[in-house]
Amino acid sequence: MDWRDQIQEGAEGSPHSNLLGSRFVGFDEATQTATMTFTIRQEVTTWRGGVQGGLVAGYLDDVMGYAYVAATGGEMAPLNLDLSMSLIRLIPEGATILAKGRVVKAGRKVVFLEGELYTEDGEKLYARATSTAIPTKRPSPTETGMGE
């Protein structure tokens, strides 16, 4: 299975991709930027009607991480050391969000990433984050016991 298939929501996708409603749109090699979309489900919202803050970090982590996976052709994955996030506005239930994640710098021992979540039209910013990570070999579903 290609690494792109593991990002997509559906039977072949990672369990977290199904929860988040992940869709990998593409990767721009020149800017090291991944684009994804996510569909906001009721299960990730609070009584306020928006995504719970810790789960917002999950969306940002996903798009930043897959930027690095894409940049390495699916060979590597980041293991977070830290993630700093700013919540700009509530992400409402039912929304489709546009996510951008970038590899700022990738070395042998550390990777710097940043990401943003926008309204579907890209006009309004919901949240942004930066992350510092350790580059690791990307595990396969078989290696983790989650695949056939």
Side-chain angles (χ1 to χ4, degrees):
M1 176 188 331
D2 185 73
W3 63 270
R4 289 171 194 83
D5 297 330
Q6 294 172 10
I7 299 171
Q8 306 301 329
E9 174 186 26
E12 297 297 311
S14 168
H16 87 280
S17 295
N18 288 325
L19 173 68
L20 297 177
S22 302
R23 295 279 178 211
F24 184 77
V25 176
F27 180 71
D28 182 324
E29 193 77 39
T31 62
Q32 298 283 284
T33 301
T35 302
M36 296 178 73
T37 62
F38 300 98
T39 303
I40 305 303
R41 296 197 168 102
Q42 182 181 26
E43 293 85 358
V44 300
T45 62
T46 70
W47 292 113
R48 295 181 192 274
V51 178
Q52 190 271 344
L55 295 172
V56 173
Y59 293 107
L60 288 159
D61 181 35
D62 215 37
V63 72
M64 290 186 295
Y66 282 123
Y68 183 61
V69 171
T72 63
E75 295 295 315
M76 303 291 285
L79 180 60
N80 281 340
L81 293 171
D82 73 11
L83 188 147
S84 178
M85 172 179 70
S86 295
L87 301 168
I88 311 299
R89 60 178 39 91
L90 186 81
I91 303 174
E93 177 185 341
T96 297
I97 56 176
L98 176 67
K100 299 281 185 175
R102 277 174 305 291
V103 178
V104 176
K105 181 173 174 33
R108 289 183 311 110
K109 295 185 178 186
V110 69
V111 179
F112 297 95
L113 305 164
E114 58 186 23
E116 298 89 26
L117 302 178
Y118 297 95
T119 52
E120 187 174 13
D121 62 9
E123 294 294 316
K124 292 184 180 174
L125 179 66
Y126 284 126
R128 67 172 37 155
T130 59
S131 176
T132 306
I134 299 169
T136 65
K137 181 181 175 300
R138 187 182 64 81
S140 72
T142 304
E143 291 169 326
T144 62
M146 298 181 78
E148 296 178 22

